Amino acid sequence: MDRTVMRIFRIVLILVAALGLAACSSKFKTYDGPAVTQLQVYKGARELFLMHDNTVLKSYKIELGNQPVGPKRFEGDGRTPEGLYYINRRNPNSAYHLSIGISYPNVHDVQVAKAAGLPPGGDIFIHGEDPRRGRTSQDWTAGCIAVSDKDIEDIYAMVRDGTPIFIMP
């Protein structure tokens, strides 16, 4: 009987340890520092800055749409938008680890696409890596802003919905 009790105790101990380790590896982090008041993206430099007023809190290397030069004009053009947008949603179950949505298209974007007789597109996000490709250091998205999975975990925790994002050439 003692051996059975010891075996059960060991199994329970192993399960508790495994669950504890799994909890430590969660992709959902917490952040209690200064509020991110805006995001700034510089497409040419491939950098994203999380700002608190005029202070840079964090900076990240980014990858862009597979046609990185110029603003997004219509669905399927492979470009990343340029202009003022807002973080407007989040996806904890993203195919790209985690993602936060950008409010593209704005009124101007809709007008530009409509004038060309084309749909403006949508579903522009800041997201993690493509699990099939990993981090490539080359522009590969359909117009989104990609960062490493580790970086999107920080960004996801730090940035709130409604935060302005300025995307510059």
Side-chain angles (χ1 to χ4, degrees):
M1 188 76 154
D2 286 331
R3 282 191 164 166
T4 303
V5 170
M6 286 302 289
R7 183 174 289 164
I8 291 172
F9 179 74
R10 285 184 195 148
I11 291 171
V12 169
L13 189 60
I14 290 169
L15 287 173
V16 168
L19 287 173
L21 286 174
C24 291
S25 66
S26 173
K27 65 183 179 179
F28 300 104
K29 297 181 177 179
T30 58
Y31 175 72
D32 62 358
V36 174
T37 57
Q38 64 178 282
L39 292 84
Q40 295 179 359
V41 174
Y42 295 89
K43 290 171 55 176
R46 304 297 190 279
E47 289 190 286
L48 163 66
F49 296 94
L50 303 187
M51 308 290 294
H52 174 77
D53 298 329
N54 293 322
T55 303
V56 175
L57 297 174
K58 291 271 220 162
S59 65
Y60 303 95
K61 290 293 182 193
I62 62 171
E63 297 165 12
L64 300 169
N66 58 30
Q67 299 296 319
V69 177
K72 185 162 194 61
R73 294 290 182 218
F74 54 86
E75 183 174 27
D77 67 4
R79 293 183 176 176
T80 301
E82 294 175 3
L84 170 61
Y85 301 94
Y86 296 88
I87 301 303
N88 66 352
R89 62 200 183 280
R90 50 194 60 241
N91 183 356
N93 300 311
S94 173
Y96 303 99
H97 195 58
L98 292 169
S99 61
I100 58 174
I102 297 171
S103 63
Y104 176 87
N106 62 26
V107 172
H108 174 72
D109 300 320
V110 171
Q111 291 171 343
V112 168
K114 188 175 182 180
L118 297 166
D123 284 337
I124 302 296
F125 288 84
I126 300 171
H127 60 66
E129 301 163 17
D130 181 339
R132 297 164 294 178
R133 321 172 41 102
R135 184 118 173 138
T136 62
S137 297
Q138 65 186 31
D139 299 316
W140 59 271
T141 76
C144 294
I145 298 166
V147 296
S148 73
D149 287 350
K150 179 184 174 299
D151 291 348
I152 193 60
E153 290 175 4
D154 290 343
I155 295 164
Y156 196 91
M158 294 174 73
V159 175
R160 299 287 157 243
D161 290 358
T163 305
I165 177 170
F166 298 92
I167 306 174
M168 289 154 279

